[in-house]
Amino acid sequence: MNAAVDVFKRNDFPGSSLDALNAWVAEVAALTQPDDIHWCDGSDAENARLTKQMLADGTLLPLNPETHPHSWLHRSSPSDVARVEHLTFVCTAQQEDAGPNNHWMAPAEAHAKMDALFAGCMRGRTLYVIPYCMGPIDSPLSRCGVEITDSPYVVANMRIMTRMGAPALARIEREGTFVKGLHSTGELDPDRRFIMHFPDELTIKSFGSGYGGNALLGKKCHALRIASHQARSEGWLAEHMLIVGIENPQGETHYIAAAFPSACGKTNLAMLIPPEGYRQAGWKVWTVGDDICWMRPGADGRLYAINPEAGFFGVAPGTSDSSNPNALATISHHTIFTNVAVTDEQEPWWEGLDSRTPSLDWQGRPYDAANGPAAHPNSRFTVSARQCPSYSAKAEDPQGVPISAIVFGGRRASLVPLVFEARDWTHGVLVGAAMGSETTAAATGAVGVMRRDPMAMKPFCGYNFADYFAHWLSFDGAGAKLPKIFHVNWFRKGGDGKFLWPGFGENLRVLEWMIRRVEGTADAVDTPIGHLPRAEDLNLDGVALSDEAHDLLFGFERAGWQAEFASIGEYLEEFGARTPQALKDEQQRIAARLAP
Ligand code: GTP
Ligand code: SPV
Ligand code: MN
């Protein structure tokens, strides 16, 4: 057993949560039979040791140290490259509490199934104990967890993505509660792979995958599925949202939280660089978070948000000096790349980066266009948020940032205009609940299929969506000063199949309109689906839009929306009597207004 065990084993605090932690570690070790146990302290020395070991055994491959210092490439198993929604379960006592939006298994059955997989699985391996904190260490909004894993790659990623190690352990000792996450890569066999959540026990068991959201348990498993469940009973929200601060030339900053489904633009919007004219005028953009947002009402009635993560696990393809220069600067050193291609000069490469041709594809084969893209479409970078040039000092503020606007959005090739504003909170919750988007490579399965993805939480809500919608509605109480709610669509296509809106940095033009709506200084037209800007209500200086683009981005298509609202009504029915009446009423009110 590792000497570090004794450093942290604190049996001299009987009844403290470290007692519970020690007992759990001992129980897991008895089940999984590791050769060694290592308690992670999060130190540089520990990270250097693990990196050396992973470089020696091929888990990590070196990249060009001149162009990408302290950066490594990891190639995952080709059958383990994305989240697996069909193998992800929420195990509540009653199936109805998980809802039709989740796969469900009875807790006893799920534990038995998982414990059989975990039995003896760490023989010949080291068991790593990773204490971590989601959110700033000293924030009342933060929550701690401990992940046990046999993957050093997971340790290295969790060190970047969370506040990991000794300070988290100290908070766990103080607080007495933590989320238990047990993970093993197993044999990486898709037929022996499950991601199980036990929200009532604050427990996660994940077996058979080493990839992203399946294996870095602080992220989707803890900070969304378990946390959403906790948030419901404790009166807050755990959301799949970026948080960005927009500073106007007067030096005032509005914070915006935006929920887009996986691979639909959160990282990009969180780091956007203002268009030239905006930069000259003095606009600035501050990144608080790119994937997850925990919010709760403050004493003044406003919603305050923290980013529970400390790093970015971002999509590589499409990241370039023109689309997202901040991301490119962020990942120029101390970055782990997963499933990207490499050039002759050992530099990481992906589609959309530049015009070079890579030498090896994501599987390490000589690049051949006949094999498909060089980088996997869901290839990613893991990097500390502190390396981001636009990282906001407020991201470390224990109180969080006040949210002025909430934005929902998806990939919609047709119908949905560039932006519209909900009339009030209830309408906004319906806009979120009715969100639709085309599926992406972030999860295994078909790509480009339109599905409902309420609040971008379809794969991540740890309980019945009907109860989740009711929870959202419940924030509209006495004294609440809630953000305005908007919907955007950066992905509307024209007759030629091309995107009509330039997107990326130009999205600031839409955010400015939202902020001016919040301040009461911008116009809009009332339509049945909400308040729509006319093209002249946005600053479009320097943007060349065709007549078709004008019509489709700012237009309202009554017939199409009638069909959309019929489909939204059917969707709400899927949750039966549990769907909040206020939401059904709102859907019917709008459907009636849409009637010819
Ligand atoms: P997850 O990390 O999976 O949750 O994804 P995300 O929501 O952070 O998405 P991300 O910002 O990484 O963008 C995903 C893909 O969408 C990339 O290929 C981007 O280039 C592309 N994208 C992002 N923003 C825009 C935009 O404004 N317009 C267009 N056309 N594409 C965009
Ligand atoms: C997503 O799919 O929404 C991600 C990547 O952010 S993962 O961590 O794999 O969930
Ligand atoms: Mn995500």
Side-chain angles (χ1 to χ4, degrees):
M1 210 170 264
N2 195 295
V5 173
D6 293 318
V7 176
F8 288 113
K9 202 162 190 181
R10 300 286 290 272
N11 287 324
D12 48 328
F13 285 88
S16 84
S17 71
L18 286 196
D19 233 34
L21 176 55
N22 281 318
W24 178 55
V25 172
E27 184 192 309
V28 168
L31 175 68
T32 58
Q33 301 282 306
D35 279 14
D36 198 4
I37 297 182
H38 177 77
W39 289 64
C40 300
D41 61 12
S43 65
D44 290 343
E46 177 183 77
N47 187 52
R49 233 177 15 250
L50 280 175
T51 303
K52 202 170 152 198
Q53 177 195 319
M54 286 189 279
L55 284 166
D57 70 15
T59 303
L60 295 182
L61 301 167
L63 289 166
N64 187 325
E66 313 274 296
T67 58
H68 290 77
H70 302 282
S71 298
W72 324 109
L73 169 64
H74 173 73
R75 293 195 184 115
S76 70
S77 160
S79 63
D80 185 34
V81 294
R83 284 182 294 98
V84 281
E85 295 181 9
H86 59 296
L87 303 175
T88 300
F89 290 74
V90 170
C91 308
T92 44
Q94 303 300 320
Q95 180 164 10
E96 303 77 70
D97 292 332
N101 46 302
N102 280 303
H103 298 295
W104 175 86
M105 200 180 286
E109 188 190 341
H111 278 304
K113 195 178 189 69
M114 296 309 280
D115 291 352
L117 292 170
F118 278 109
C121 74
M122 295 192 193
R123 278 194 199 109
R125 301 185 187 185
T126 297
L127 179 160
Y128 298 92
V129 182
I130 311 173
Y132 63 86
C133 181
M134 299 311 291
I137 282 281
D138 52 352
S139 170
L141 284 79
S142 300
R143 294 287 188 277
C144 289
V146 177
E147 175 166 357
I148 293 179
T149 182
D150 55 9
S151 161
Y153 168 81
V154 166
V155 176
N157 277 271
M158 285 290 284
R159 180 172 186 266
I160 296 173
M161 295 305 295
T162 72
R163 277 98 174 158
M164 181 264 254
L169 192 68
R171 179 163 169 163
I172 290 170
E173 187 167 2
R174 241 184 7 256
E175 274 185 342
T177 49
F178 62 95
V179 169
K180 292 177 186 166
L182 172 55
H183 169 256
S184 171
T185 50
E187 312 85 33
L188 299 175
D189 176 356
D191 293 328
R192 285 162 53 84
R193 179 178 295 161
F194 293 100
I195 327 293
M196 301 276 186
H197 303 75
F198 305 88
D200 298 318
E201 304 165 43
L202 300 185
T203 295
I204 304 152
K205 292 186 178 177
S206 165
F207 190 90
S209 167
Y211 192 84
N214 301 330
L216 312 177
L217 301 186
K219 196 173 178 56
K220 298 302 171 37
C221 299
H222 176 167
L224 288 179
R225 299 194 191 94
I226 299 286
S228 62
H229 197 272
Q230 274 183 306
R232 181 194 174 201
S233 54
E234 296 173 7
W236 49 284
L237 289 163
E239 299 299 327
H240 190 202
M241 292 178 175
L242 68 96
I243 309 166
V244 66
I246 309 293
E247 183 179 332
N248 69 18
Q250 292 75 50
E252 300 149 350
T253 304
H254 279 284
Y255 293 91
I256 296 179
F260 308 150
S262 302
C264 290
K266 289 183 299 300
T267 301
N268 278 273
L269 193 69
M271 297 179 190
L272 79 78
I273 297 215
E276 184 57 28
Y278 278 80
R279 264 193 315 242
Q280 276 169 10
W283 289 81
K284 295 196 179 95
V285 171
W286 300 106
T287 309
V288 178
D290 84 323
D291 199 52
I292 302 182
C293 164
W294 286 357
M295 288 185 277
R296 77 166 183 208
D300 60 0
R302 297 186 72 186
L303 287 182
Y304 284 79
I306 61 162
N307 169 16
E309 300 192 281
F312 308 128
F313 184 62
V315 177
T319 308
S320 74
D321 221 3
S322 59
S323 67
N324 192 348
N326 269 331
L328 217 55
T330 307
I331 61 180
S332 63
H333 61 101
H334 292 87
T335 302
I336 300 172
F337 294 90
T338 300
N339 294 338
V340 299
V342 285
T343 65
D344 286 338
E345 297 78 34
Q346 297 292 299
E347 292 183 46
W349 191 90
W350 46 84
E351 276 70 19
L353 175 63
D354 55 35
S355 60
R356 288 176 298 172
T357 303
S359 56
L360 299 178
D361 73 6
W362 64 279
Q363 299 188 57
R365 302 173 297 193
Y367 173 63
D368 178 351
N371 287 333
H376 189 276
N378 193 37
S379 54
R380 302 240 168 196
F381 49 77
T382 318
V383 68
S384 166
R386 282 175 317 208
Q387 292 184 198
C388 181
S390 57
Y391 190 50
S392 167
K394 284 280 189 185
E396 305 289 341
D397 188 331
Q399 299 312 313
V401 294
I403 299 297
S404 298
I406 286 175
V407 184
F408 296 120
R411 275 180 195 265
R412 295 296 295 264
S414 61
L415 184 67
V416 181
L418 181 63
V419 58
F420 61 91
E421 177 194 325
R423 269 179 293 275
D424 55 27
W425 186 256
T426 302
H427 180 211
V429 174
L430 178 68
V431 168
M435 254 172 75
S437 196
E438 290 147 25
T439 51
T440 65
T444 52
V447 167
V449 179
M450 200 334 252
R451 71 163 180 183
R452 296 278 160 218
D453 189 350
M455 281 84 171
M457 285 287 278
K458 169 71 185 70
F460 308 121
C461 184
Y463 61 105
N464 191 318
F465 258 156
D467 301 338
Y468 172 75
F469 302 149
H471 183 51
W472 263 85
L473 290 171
S474 75
F475 285 84
D476 195 7
K481 292 200 184 64
L482 294 168
K484 272 187 183 292
I485 297 179
F486 299 86
H487 189 281
V488 299
N489 180 20
W490 313 140
F491 300 97
R492 186 78 187 258
K493 288 181 177 167
D496 60 0
K498 296 211 173 104
F499 294 124
L500 291 168
W501 176 249
F504 301 100
E506 307 297 332
N507 293 334
L508 183 58
R509 300 174 188 279
V510 177
L511 301 186
E512 186 199 359
W513 178 75
M514 292 176 188
I515 290 169
R516 290 200 294 118
R517 289 294 294 171
V518 168
E519 290 173 341
T521 58
D523 266 341
V525 182
D526 185 48
T527 77
I529 62 162
H531 302 303
L532 259 71
R534 295 158 304 172
E536 57 265 38
D537 294 320
L538 263 65
N539 172 0
L540 294 176
D541 288 351
V543 186
L545 293 179
S546 64
D547 288 347
E548 182 197 25
H550 260 112
D551 290 350
L552 297 182
L553 293 172
F554 299 98
F556 158 64
E557 296 164 30
R558 185 175 291 271
W561 279 103
Q562 277 167 14
E564 178 76 1
F565 264 78
S567 142
I568 293 167
E570 283 164 23
Y571 180 67
L572 294 180
E573 285 306 321
E574 286 178 26
F575 301 92
R578 239 158 138 140
T579 307
Q581 191 58 41
L583 213 56
K584 293 194 217 173
D585 290 347
E586 186 70 20
Q587 185 273 338
Q588 277 160 22
R589 232 187 329 268
I590 296 172
R593 261 190 83 181
L594 283 164

